[in-house]
Amino acid sequence: MKEHAVKLAILDTLADGYFHSGEELGEQLNISRAAVSKHVKGIQEWGVDIFSVPGKGYKLAGSMQLLNQQRLQSEVSVPVELIPVIGSTNQHLMDRIGLLQSGSVCIAEYQSQGRGRRGREWVSPFGCNLYLSMYWRLEAGMAGAMGLSLVVGVAIVEALEKLGIEGIKLKWPNDLYYRDKKLAGILVEMSGQAGAAAHLVIGMGMNLKMATNTQGITQPWSCLADAVEHDIDRNQLAITLINSLKTALSEYEITGMQGFVERWNRLDNYLGREIRLIMGEREVIGISSGINEQGAVLINTDNGLETYIGGEISLRGI
Ligand code: ATP
């Protein structure tokens, strides 16, 4: 069996949320009970909450809907590669840029090296969230790539609204928030040369139903499950997001940021609220006033309206 295949097969059985004995799992997979126990430990290291009760077997803390390659591929028009266990979906696409068709998607159940901006970690436990990256060839080149995380943010929130999920907001430049807590992060990485098409990899990690005791996140966070009453169909959500991303990126090629400024400002989590912008040692405090057509954030300070843009800036509510 391929690497991880045994663990994935165990999870496939446990996904129903019921007890399954070590003996039953071992028989199914033609391995010993001790081997089952070893694999379960490995699964726990992926961040999955499995417990065992003597005489009953193993059980997930809750049921789990795994992603399904066939279903995903049948409902989107771009190539989709589901790699359940991966280092980073962005890295996977970055490594294959020359081979990919624009719009190609890589999606995973678990990332061992999920990343955010400036090399920070994106915590990516198995099976409970979405980790999705799309490759896009932007004819407008690197200059046109400025502000792309804003366009992607709009595309994602509008897709959630179409699914009836309300209250999701945007934080400049690259986060989705629910009730002032981080729900999802967007990471746009690129390669290319000035004057030529830009090769972009757009990654998104979105929390759907993550255990409250998840370790390693250094700021308040939320899950999509907090915003909806029914169970979330992860496959349907991924399909909707992929289609929405593709549409928004095609639109962006035609309209540029102009088509997105108002849409972004409508969803701004901090519009009219006091914020601080952190730029290394420097901080600016003022009232957040949306974005402009360059994708810069506007902030009303004691010195008047100021604009800021660049990858090294962090925005925080006060
Ligand atoms: P800043 O607001 O400072 O600019 P950022 O919002 O750009 O940061 P990223 O670099 O995109 O943050 O993401 C990394 C940060 O996100 C980490 O510092 C961590 O605190 C947080 N984080 C990591 N994993 C998750 C997660 N699954 N859910 C919510 N937040 C997370």
Side-chain angles (χ1 to χ4, degrees), residues 115-125 129 131 171-175 177 182-187 205-207 210 214 216-222 311 313-316:
R115 59 184 186 234
R117 294 197 299 162
R118 289 167 269 167
R120 283 185 299 228
E121 185 194 4
W122 188 262
V123 174
S124 309
N129 296 331
Y131 316 112
K171 187 195 79 152
W172 188 91
N174 66 330
D175 292 329
Y177 266 42
K182 187 151 161 168
L183 171 80
I186 296 160
L187 178 67
M206 181 186 289
N207 302 329
M210 190 157 61
T214 302
I217 306 180
T218 55
Q219 50 182 298
W221 56 271
S222 56
I313 309 174
S314 291
L315 186 154
R316 291 278 179 275

mmCIF file of all heavy atoms in Angstrom, residues 115-125 129 131 171-175 177 182-187 205-207 210 214 216-222 311 313-316, ligand 1:
data_model
loop_
_atom_site.group_PDB
_atom_site.id
_atom_site.type_symbol
_atom_site.label_atom_id
_atom_site.label_comp_id
_atom_site.label_asym_id
_atom_site.label_seq_id
_atom_site.Cartn_x
_atom_site.Cartn_y
_atom_site.Cartn_z
ATOM 1 N N ARG A 115 1.553 27.106 5.307
ATOM 2 C CA ARG A 115 2.222 28.366 5.629
ATOM 3 C C ARG A 115 1.338 29.590 5.416
ATOM 4 O O ARG A 115 0.401 29.580 4.621
ATOM 5 C CB ARG A 115 3.527 28.505 4.872
ATOM 6 C CG ARG A 115 3.376 28.454 3.378
ATOM 7 C CD ARG A 115 4.757 28.497 2.736
ATOM 8 N NE ARG A 115 4.674 28.590 1.307
ATOM 9 C CZ ARG A 115 5.279 27.755 0.478
ATOM 10 N NH1 ARG A 115 6.001 26.762 0.934
ATOM 11 N NH2 ARG A 115 5.171 27.923 -0.821
ATOM 12 N N GLY A 116 1.693 30.653 6.171
ATOM 13 C CA GLY A 116 1.047 31.953 6.012
ATOM 14 C C GLY A 116 2.068 32.915 5.439
ATOM 15 O O GLY A 116 3.065 32.490 4.846
ATOM 16 N N ARG A 117 1.831 34.208 5.625
ATOM 17 C CA ARG A 117 2.768 35.200 5.094
ATOM 18 C C ARG A 117 4.069 35.161 5.899
ATOM 19 O O ARG A 117 4.088 34.759 7.053
ATOM 20 C CB ARG A 117 2.153 36.595 5.204
ATOM 21 C CG ARG A 117 0.926 36.759 4.321
ATOM 22 C CD ARG A 117 0.568 38.205 4.110
ATOM 23 N NE ARG A 117 0.252 38.903 5.340
ATOM 24 C CZ ARG A 117 0.237 40.222 5.456
ATOM 25 N NH1 ARG A 117 0.540 40.975 4.422
ATOM 26 N NH2 ARG A 117 -0.068 40.794 6.600
ATOM 27 N N ARG A 118 5.112 35.628 5.278
ATOM 28 C CA ARG A 118 6.432 35.768 5.912
ATOM 29 C C ARG A 118 6.865 34.504 6.653
ATOM 30 O O ARG A 118 7.322 34.553 7.789
ATOM 31 C CB ARG A 118 6.431 36.962 6.863
ATOM 32 C CG ARG A 118 6.395 38.293 6.108
ATOM 33 C CD ARG A 118 6.084 39.454 6.996
ATOM 34 N NE ARG A 118 4.653 39.708 7.046
ATOM 35 C CZ ARG A 118 4.063 40.497 7.917
ATOM 36 N NH1 ARG A 118 4.762 41.094 8.833
ATOM 37 N NH2 ARG A 118 2.771 40.684 7.894
ATOM 38 N N GLY A 119 6.601 33.359 6.029
ATOM 39 C CA GLY A 119 7.096 32.096 6.574
ATOM 40 C C GLY A 119 6.391 31.620 7.829
ATOM 41 O O GLY A 119 6.835 30.657 8.458
ATOM 42 N N ARG A 120 5.279 32.253 8.214
ATOM 43 C CA ARG A 120 4.580 31.794 9.422
ATOM 44 C C ARG A 120 3.788 30.528 9.129
ATOM 45 O O ARG A 120 3.460 30.228 7.990
ATOM 46 C CB ARG A 120 3.676 32.900 9.938
ATOM 47 C CG ARG A 120 4.488 33.971 10.658
ATOM 48 C CD ARG A 120 3.588 34.975 11.261
ATOM 49 N NE ARG A 120 2.811 35.633 10.234
ATOM 50 C CZ ARG A 120 2.660 36.952 10.151
ATOM 51 N NH1 ARG A 120 3.221 37.729 11.034
ATOM 52 N NH2 ARG A 120 1.942 37.482 9.194
ATOM 53 N N GLU A 121 3.474 29.813 10.195
ATOM 54 C CA GLU A 121 2.803 28.523 10.016
ATOM 55 C C GLU A 121 1.295 28.692 9.863
ATOM 56 O O GLU A 121 0.699 29.536 10.531
ATOM 57 C CB GLU A 121 3.086 27.656 11.258
ATOM 58 C CG GLU A 121 2.527 26.263 11.112
ATOM 59 C CD GLU A 121 2.490 25.484 12.425
ATOM 60 O OE1 GLU A 121 2.833 26.036 13.483
ATOM 61 O OE2 GLU A 121 2.074 24.307 12.359
ATOM 62 N N TRP A 122 0.695 27.878 8.974
ATOM 63 C CA TRP A 122 -0.763 27.763 8.943
ATOM 64 C C TRP A 122 -1.119 26.394 9.523
ATOM 65 O O TRP A 122 -0.769 25.361 8.950
ATOM 66 C CB TRP A 122 -1.327 27.903 7.517
ATOM 67 C CG TRP A 122 -2.827 27.969 7.587
ATOM 68 C CD1 TRP A 122 -3.704 26.943 7.385
ATOM 69 C CD2 TRP A 122 -3.611 29.104 7.971
ATOM 70 N NE1 TRP A 122 -4.992 27.376 7.617
ATOM 71 C CE2 TRP A 122 -4.963 28.695 7.983
ATOM 72 C CE3 TRP A 122 -3.308 30.421 8.324
ATOM 73 C CZ2 TRP A 122 -6.005 29.559 8.323
ATOM 74 C CZ3 TRP A 122 -4.353 31.275 8.661
ATOM 75 C CH2 TRP A 122 -5.682 30.840 8.647
ATOM 76 N N VAL A 123 -1.755 26.403 10.666
ATOM 77 C CA VAL A 123 -2.063 25.155 11.377
ATOM 78 C C VAL A 123 -3.139 24.399 10.592
ATOM 79 O O VAL A 123 -4.211 24.940 10.315
ATOM 80 C CB VAL A 123 -2.517 25.474 12.821
ATOM 81 C CG1 VAL A 123 -2.976 24.217 13.529
ATOM 82 C CG2 VAL A 123 -1.376 26.155 13.581
ATOM 83 N N SER A 124 -2.831 23.143 10.230
ATOM 84 C CA SER A 124 -3.649 22.430 9.232
ATOM 85 C C SER A 124 -3.981 21.002 9.637
ATOM 86 O O SER A 124 -3.533 20.046 9.005
ATOM 87 C CB SER A 124 -2.898 22.393 7.892
ATOM 88 O OG SER A 124 -2.448 23.658 7.492
ATOM 89 N N PRO A 125 -4.754 20.802 10.730
ATOM 90 C CA PRO A 125 -5.098 19.443 11.131
ATOM 91 C C PRO A 125 -5.946 18.715 10.076
ATOM 92 O O PRO A 125 -6.566 19.361 9.232
ATOM 93 C CB PRO A 125 -5.890 19.641 12.422
ATOM 94 C CG PRO A 125 -6.368 21.049 12.392
ATOM 95 C CD PRO A 125 -5.348 21.820 11.608
ATOM 96 N N ASN A 129 -10.854 20.976 8.027
ATOM 97 C CA ASN A 129 -10.829 22.306 7.415
ATOM 98 C C ASN A 129 -10.741 22.162 5.897
ATOM 99 O O ASN A 129 -10.873 21.066 5.365
ATOM 100 C CB ASN A 129 -9.625 23.102 7.928
ATOM 101 C CG ASN A 129 -9.707 23.358 9.420
ATOM 102 O OD1 ASN A 129 -10.806 23.446 9.975
ATOM 103 N ND2 ASN A 129 -8.564 23.473 10.061
ATOM 104 N N TYR A 131 -7.926 23.141 2.763
ATOM 105 C CA TYR A 131 -6.634 23.685 2.338
ATOM 106 C C TYR A 131 -6.608 23.543 0.820
ATOM 107 O O TYR A 131 -6.572 22.412 0.311
ATOM 108 C CB TYR A 131 -5.473 22.905 2.974
ATOM 109 C CG TYR A 131 -5.719 22.627 4.447
ATOM 110 C CD1 TYR A 131 -5.931 21.327 4.906
ATOM 111 C CD2 TYR A 131 -5.794 23.679 5.358
ATOM 112 C CE1 TYR A 131 -6.201 21.083 6.245
ATOM 113 C CE2 TYR A 131 -6.067 23.440 6.693
ATOM 114 C CZ TYR A 131 -6.271 22.142 7.119
ATOM 115 O OH TYR A 131 -6.559 21.902 8.440
ATOM 116 N N LYS A 171 -10.497 41.080 6.352
ATOM 117 C CA LYS A 171 -9.514 41.940 7.017
ATOM 118 C C LYS A 171 -8.365 42.159 6.052
ATOM 119 O O LYS A 171 -7.805 41.170 5.543
ATOM 120 C CB LYS A 171 -8.995 41.304 8.308
ATOM 121 C CG LYS A 171 -8.115 42.269 9.093
ATOM 122 C CD LYS A 171 -7.291 41.571 10.164
ATOM 123 C CE LYS A 171 -6.075 40.903 9.551
ATOM 124 N NZ LYS A 171 -4.924 40.780 10.439
ATOM 125 N N TRP A 172 -8.039 43.441 5.799
ATOM 126 C CA TRP A 172 -6.952 43.748 4.863
ATOM 127 C C TRP A 172 -5.632 43.178 5.400
ATOM 128 O O TRP A 172 -5.376 43.323 6.602
ATOM 129 C CB TRP A 172 -6.852 45.275 4.734
ATOM 130 C CG TRP A 172 -5.898 45.720 3.670
ATOM 131 C CD1 TRP A 172 -6.184 45.965 2.364
ATOM 132 C CD2 TRP A 172 -4.499 45.991 3.839
ATOM 133 N NE1 TRP A 172 -5.053 46.360 1.703
ATOM 134 C CE2 TRP A 172 -3.997 46.383 2.587
ATOM 135 C CE3 TRP A 172 -3.613 45.912 4.922
ATOM 136 C CZ2 TRP A 172 -2.661 46.710 2.375
ATOM 137 C CZ3 TRP A 172 -2.285 46.223 4.708
ATOM 138 C CH2 TRP A 172 -1.828 46.622 3.458
ATOM 139 N N PRO A 173 -4.764 42.565 4.581
ATOM 140 C CA PRO A 173 -4.994 42.360 3.156
ATOM 141 C C PRO A 173 -5.468 40.960 2.802
ATOM 142 O O PRO A 173 -5.903 40.751 1.672
ATOM 143 C CB PRO A 173 -3.581 42.566 2.568
ATOM 144 C CG PRO A 173 -2.675 42.027 3.636
ATOM 145 C CD PRO A 173 -3.360 42.294 4.951
ATOM 146 N N ASN A 174 -5.412 40.013 3.719
ATOM 147 C CA ASN A 174 -5.540 38.624 3.242
ATOM 148 C C ASN A 174 -6.276 37.670 4.167
ATOM 149 O O ASN A 174 -6.049 36.462 4.099
ATOM 150 C CB ASN A 174 -4.133 38.057 2.986
ATOM 151 C CG ASN A 174 -3.349 37.923 4.280
ATOM 152 O OD1 ASN A 174 -3.554 38.688 5.218
ATOM 153 N ND2 ASN A 174 -2.482 36.943 4.339
ATOM 154 N N ASP A 175 -7.138 38.186 5.040
ATOM 155 C CA ASP A 175 -7.817 37.266 5.958
ATOM 156 C C ASP A 175 -9.329 37.372 5.877
ATOM 157 O O ASP A 175 -9.861 38.432 5.555
ATOM 158 C CB ASP A 175 -7.420 37.572 7.411
ATOM 159 C CG ASP A 175 -5.969 37.241 7.678
ATOM 160 O OD1 ASP A 175 -5.456 36.300 7.048
ATOM 161 O OD2 ASP A 175 -5.350 37.940 8.502
ATOM 162 N N TYR A 177 -12.650 36.956 8.357
ATOM 163 C CA TYR A 177 -12.968 36.989 9.782
ATOM 164 C C TYR A 177 -14.427 36.620 10.018
ATOM 165 O O TYR A 177 -15.287 36.916 9.184
ATOM 166 C CB TYR A 177 -12.736 38.414 10.335
ATOM 167 C CG TYR A 177 -11.364 38.607 10.937
ATOM 168 C CD1 TYR A 177 -10.233 38.096 10.326
ATOM 169 C CD2 TYR A 177 -11.211 39.309 12.125
ATOM 170 C CE1 TYR A 177 -8.974 38.286 10.888
ATOM 171 C CE2 TYR A 177 -9.954 39.503 12.686
ATOM 172 C CZ TYR A 177 -8.844 38.988 12.063
ATOM 173 O OH TYR A 177 -7.608 39.181 12.615
ATOM 174 N N LYS A 182 -10.201 35.166 13.316
ATOM 175 C CA LYS A 182 -9.713 34.721 11.998
ATOM 176 C C LYS A 182 -10.320 33.373 11.601
ATOM 177 O O LYS A 182 -10.155 32.371 12.299
ATOM 178 C CB LYS A 182 -8.184 34.606 12.091
ATOM 179 C CG LYS A 182 -7.489 34.325 10.799
ATOM 180 C CD LYS A 182 -6.109 34.923 10.871
ATOM 181 C CE LYS A 182 -5.142 34.370 9.890
ATOM 182 N NZ LYS A 182 -3.941 35.207 9.848
ATOM 183 N N LEU A 183 -10.984 33.385 10.463
ATOM 184 C CA LEU A 183 -11.647 32.185 9.945
ATOM 185 C C LEU A 183 -10.816 31.521 8.852
ATOM 186 O O LEU A 183 -10.795 30.303 8.712
ATOM 187 C CB LEU A 183 -13.005 32.602 9.356
ATOM 188 C CG LEU A 183 -13.763 31.543 8.590
ATOM 189 C CD1 LEU A 183 -14.484 30.615 9.553
ATOM 190 C CD2 LEU A 183 -14.754 32.159 7.613
ATOM 191 N N ALA A 184 -10.152 32.349 8.049
ATOM 192 C CA ALA A 184 -9.396 31.826 6.908
ATOM 193 C C ALA A 184 -8.280 32.792 6.544
ATOM 194 O O ALA A 184 -8.358 33.981 6.850
ATOM 195 C CB ALA A 184 -10.327 31.654 5.703
ATOM 196 N N GLY A 185 -7.248 32.247 5.924
ATOM 197 C CA GLY A 185 -6.132 33.066 5.461
ATOM 198 C C GLY A 185 -5.895 32.789 3.981
ATOM 199 O O GLY A 185 -6.162 31.687 3.487
ATOM 200 N N ILE A 186 -5.424 33.803 3.286
ATOM 201 C CA ILE A 186 -5.125 33.670 1.857
ATOM 202 C C ILE A 186 -3.642 33.982 1.671
ATOM 203 O O ILE A 186 -3.138 34.945 2.249
ATOM 204 C CB ILE A 186 -5.965 34.685 1.033
ATOM 205 C CG1 ILE A 186 -7.460 34.358 1.176
ATOM 206 C CG2 ILE A 186 -5.548 34.693 -0.432
ATOM 207 C CD1 ILE A 186 -8.357 35.528 0.826
ATOM 208 N N LEU A 187 -2.988 33.155 0.889
ATOM 209 C CA LEU A 187 -1.569 33.415 0.629
ATOM 210 C C LEU A 187 -1.331 33.360 -0.875
ATOM 211 O O LEU A 187 -1.533 32.316 -1.498
ATOM 212 C CB LEU A 187 -0.705 32.351 1.327
ATOM 213 C CG LEU A 187 0.797 32.493 1.095
ATOM 214 C CD1 LEU A 187 1.329 33.760 1.754
ATOM 215 C CD2 LEU A 187 1.549 31.272 1.622
ATOM 216 N N GLY A 205 -6.522 28.646 3.375
ATOM 217 C CA GLY A 205 -6.828 27.709 4.456
ATOM 218 C C GLY A 205 -8.045 28.255 5.164
ATOM 219 O O GLY A 205 -8.050 29.415 5.572
ATOM 220 N N MET A 206 -9.109 27.438 5.263
ATOM 221 C CA MET A 206 -10.317 27.908 5.942
ATOM 222 C C MET A 206 -10.717 26.913 7.030
ATOM 223 O O MET A 206 -10.823 25.706 6.771
ATOM 224 C CB MET A 206 -11.471 28.060 4.945
ATOM 225 C CG MET A 206 -12.748 28.583 5.596
ATOM 226 S SD MET A 206 -14.141 28.585 4.457
ATOM 227 C CE MET A 206 -13.680 29.905 3.376
ATOM 228 N N ASN A 207 -10.937 27.433 8.229
ATOM 229 C CA ASN A 207 -11.357 26.551 9.325
ATOM 230 C C ASN A 207 -12.839 26.224 9.186
ATOM 231 O O ASN A 207 -13.662 27.131 9.071
ATOM 232 C CB ASN A 207 -11.131 27.239 10.673
ATOM 233 C CG ASN A 207 -9.688 27.627 10.867
ATOM 234 O OD1 ASN A 207 -8.785 26.958 10.369
ATOM 235 N ND2 ASN A 207 -9.457 28.711 11.592
ATOM 236 N N MET A 210 -12.782 22.943 13.568
ATOM 237 C CA MET A 210 -11.506 22.565 14.183
ATOM 238 C C MET A 210 -11.695 22.428 15.692
ATOM 239 O O MET A 210 -12.435 23.204 16.297
ATOM 240 C CB MET A 210 -10.482 23.649 13.842
ATOM 241 C CG MET A 210 -9.069 23.310 14.204
ATOM 242 S SD MET A 210 -7.892 24.271 13.226
ATOM 243 C CE MET A 210 -8.278 25.947 13.674
ATOM 244 N N THR A 214 -7.089 22.986 19.640
ATOM 245 C CA THR A 214 -6.007 22.955 18.635
ATOM 246 C C THR A 214 -4.872 23.887 19.070
ATOM 247 O O THR A 214 -5.106 25.025 19.452
ATOM 248 C CB THR A 214 -6.559 23.388 17.253
ATOM 249 O OG1 THR A 214 -7.615 22.507 16.908
ATOM 250 C CG2 THR A 214 -5.482 23.341 16.188
ATOM 251 N N GLY A 216 -1.069 25.881 18.659
ATOM 252 C CA GLY A 216 -0.152 26.499 17.692
ATOM 253 C C GLY A 216 -0.674 27.746 17.015
ATOM 254 O O GLY A 216 0.021 28.341 16.200
ATOM 255 N N ILE A 217 -1.895 28.164 17.308
ATOM 256 C CA ILE A 217 -2.430 29.381 16.671
ATOM 257 C C ILE A 217 -2.299 30.532 17.661
ATOM 258 O O ILE A 217 -2.728 30.419 18.805
ATOM 259 C CB ILE A 217 -3.892 29.195 16.221
ATOM 260 C CG1 ILE A 217 -4.007 27.962 15.325
ATOM 261 C CG2 ILE A 217 -4.379 30.454 15.493
ATOM 262 C CD1 ILE A 217 -5.388 27.664 14.825
ATOM 263 N N THR A 218 -1.688 31.605 17.200
ATOM 264 C CA THR A 218 -1.295 32.670 18.136
ATOM 265 C C THR A 218 -2.270 33.844 18.184
ATOM 266 O O THR A 218 -1.942 34.900 18.685
ATOM 267 C CB THR A 218 0.101 33.208 17.743
ATOM 268 O OG1 THR A 218 0.014 33.609 16.369
ATOM 269 C CG2 THR A 218 1.184 32.157 17.889
ATOM 270 N N GLN A 219 -3.443 33.674 17.575
ATOM 271 C CA GLN A 219 -4.432 34.760 17.652
ATOM 272 C C GLN A 219 -5.834 34.157 17.691
ATOM 273 O O GLN A 219 -6.008 32.975 17.348
ATOM 274 C CB GLN A 219 -4.258 35.714 16.483
ATOM 275 C CG GLN A 219 -4.196 35.058 15.126
ATOM 276 C CD GLN A 219 -3.970 36.069 14.027
ATOM 277 O OE1 GLN A 219 -4.776 36.944 13.816
ATOM 278 N NE2 GLN A 219 -2.849 35.947 13.323
ATOM 279 N N PRO A 220 -6.850 34.925 18.112
ATOM 280 C CA PRO A 220 -8.201 34.359 18.188
ATOM 281 C C PRO A 220 -8.664 33.850 16.818
ATOM 282 O O PRO A 220 -8.428 34.520 15.806
ATOM 283 C CB PRO A 220 -9.056 35.556 18.631
ATOM 284 C CG PRO A 220 -8.106 36.512 19.259
ATOM 285 C CD PRO A 220 -6.808 36.337 18.540
ATOM 286 N N TRP A 221 -9.293 32.692 16.786
ATOM 287 C CA TRP A 221 -9.739 32.117 15.506
ATOM 288 C C TRP A 221 -11.162 31.606 15.624
ATOM 289 O O TRP A 221 -11.671 31.376 16.718
ATOM 290 C CB TRP A 221 -8.789 31.007 15.044
ATOM 291 C CG TRP A 221 -8.593 29.897 16.042
ATOM 292 C CD1 TRP A 221 -7.646 29.849 17.021
ATOM 293 C CD2 TRP A 221 -9.365 28.695 16.161
ATOM 294 N NE1 TRP A 221 -7.777 28.682 17.744
ATOM 295 C CE2 TRP A 221 -8.819 27.954 17.233
ATOM 296 C CE3 TRP A 221 -10.446 28.159 15.464
ATOM 297 C CZ2 TRP A 221 -9.327 26.712 17.636
ATOM 298 C CZ3 TRP A 221 -10.951 26.926 15.850
ATOM 299 C CH2 TRP A 221 -10.391 26.218 16.932
ATOM 300 N N SER A 222 -11.785 31.419 14.456
ATOM 301 C CA SER A 222 -13.158 30.917 14.417
ATOM 302 C C SER A 222 -13.252 29.823 13.363
ATOM 303 O O SER A 222 -12.303 29.585 12.619
ATOM 304 C CB SER A 222 -14.110 32.058 14.078
ATOM 305 O OG SER A 222 -13.708 32.661 12.864
ATOM 306 N N GLY A 311 3.574 44.122 1.580
ATOM 307 C CA GLY A 311 3.447 42.802 2.201
ATOM 308 C C GLY A 311 3.865 42.711 3.655
ATOM 309 O O GLY A 311 3.619 41.715 4.316
ATOM 310 N N ILE A 313 2.888 44.642 6.172
ATOM 311 C CA ILE A 313 1.989 45.370 7.076
ATOM 312 C C ILE A 313 0.960 44.425 7.691
ATOM 313 O O ILE A 313 0.369 43.610 7.003
ATOM 314 C CB ILE A 313 1.247 46.494 6.311
ATOM 315 C CG1 ILE A 313 2.247 47.354 5.524
ATOM 316 C CG2 ILE A 313 0.415 47.339 7.272
ATOM 317 C CD1 ILE A 313 1.599 48.402 4.633
ATOM 318 N N SER A 314 0.754 44.551 9.003
ATOM 319 C CA SER A 314 -0.305 43.796 9.694
ATOM 320 C C SER A 314 -1.323 44.767 10.260
ATOM 321 O O SER A 314 -0.955 45.776 10.843
ATOM 322 C CB SER A 314 0.277 42.995 10.872
ATOM 323 O OG SER A 314 1.083 41.965 10.385
ATOM 324 N N LEU A 315 -2.605 44.436 10.091
ATOM 325 C CA LEU A 315 -3.671 45.293 10.607
ATOM 326 C C LEU A 315 -4.289 44.611 11.828
ATOM 327 O O LEU A 315 -4.533 43.406 11.822
ATOM 328 C CB LEU A 315 -4.709 45.481 9.511
ATOM 329 C CG LEU A 315 -5.877 46.436 9.728
ATOM 330 C CD1 LEU A 315 -6.394 46.962 8.386
ATOM 331 C CD2 LEU A 315 -7.016 45.805 10.509
ATOM 332 N N ARG A 316 -4.523 45.392 12.873
ATOM 333 C CA ARG A 316 -5.148 44.832 14.085
ATOM 334 C C ARG A 316 -6.244 45.766 14.568
ATOM 335 O O ARG A 316 -6.069 46.997 14.544
ATOM 336 C CB ARG A 316 -4.112 44.700 15.219
ATOM 337 C CG ARG A 316 -3.066 43.632 14.964
ATOM 338 C CD ARG A 316 -3.613 42.237 15.333
ATOM 339 N NE ARG A 316 -2.640 41.186 15.085
ATOM 340 C CZ ARG A 316 -2.436 40.580 13.914
ATOM 341 N NH1 ARG A 316 -3.135 40.928 12.870
ATOM 342 N NH2 ARG A 316 -1.541 39.628 13.794
HETATM 343 P P1 ATP B 1 -1.050 39.531 10.159
HETATM 344 O O1 ATP B 1 -2.468 39.798 10.544
HETATM 345 O O2 ATP B 1 -0.097 39.744 11.269
HETATM 346 O O3 ATP B 1 -0.674 40.271 8.931
HETATM 347 P P2 ATP B 1 -1.681 37.385 8.755
HETATM 348 O O4 ATP B 1 -3.118 37.553 9.087
HETATM 349 O O5 ATP B 1 -1.213 37.832 7.441
HETATM 350 O O6 ATP B 1 -0.879 38.081 9.858
HETATM 351 P P3 ATP B 1 -0.759 34.877 7.987
HETATM 352 O O7 ATP B 1 0.690 35.087 7.910
HETATM 353 O O8 ATP B 1 -1.558 34.847 6.743
HETATM 354 O O9 ATP B 1 -1.331 35.894 9.015
HETATM 355 O O10 ATP B 1 -1.072 33.502 8.745
HETATM 356 C C1 ATP B 1 -0.284 33.065 9.836
HETATM 357 C C2 ATP B 1 -0.905 33.458 11.146
HETATM 358 O O11 ATP B 1 -2.225 32.936 11.227
HETATM 359 C C3 ATP B 1 -0.142 32.840 12.298
HETATM 360 O O12 ATP B 1 0.554 33.867 12.927
HETATM 361 C C4 ATP B 1 -1.173 32.200 13.215
HETATM 362 O O13 ATP B 1 -1.340 32.966 14.373
HETATM 363 C C5 ATP B 1 -2.466 32.255 12.460
HETATM 364 N N1 ATP B 1 -2.963 30.915 12.125
HETATM 365 C C6 ATP B 1 -2.273 29.804 11.795
HETATM 366 N N2 ATP B 1 -3.094 28.786 11.532
HETATM 367 C C7 ATP B 1 -4.352 29.253 11.689
HETATM 368 C C8 ATP B 1 -5.641 28.671 11.554
HETATM 369 N N3 ATP B 1 -5.814 27.397 11.183
HETATM 370 N N4 ATP B 1 -6.700 29.465 11.815
HETATM 371 C C9 ATP B 1 -6.560 30.760 12.173
HETATM 372 N N5 ATP B 1 -5.363 31.359 12.308
HETATM 373 C C10 ATP B 1 -4.275 30.618 12.070
#
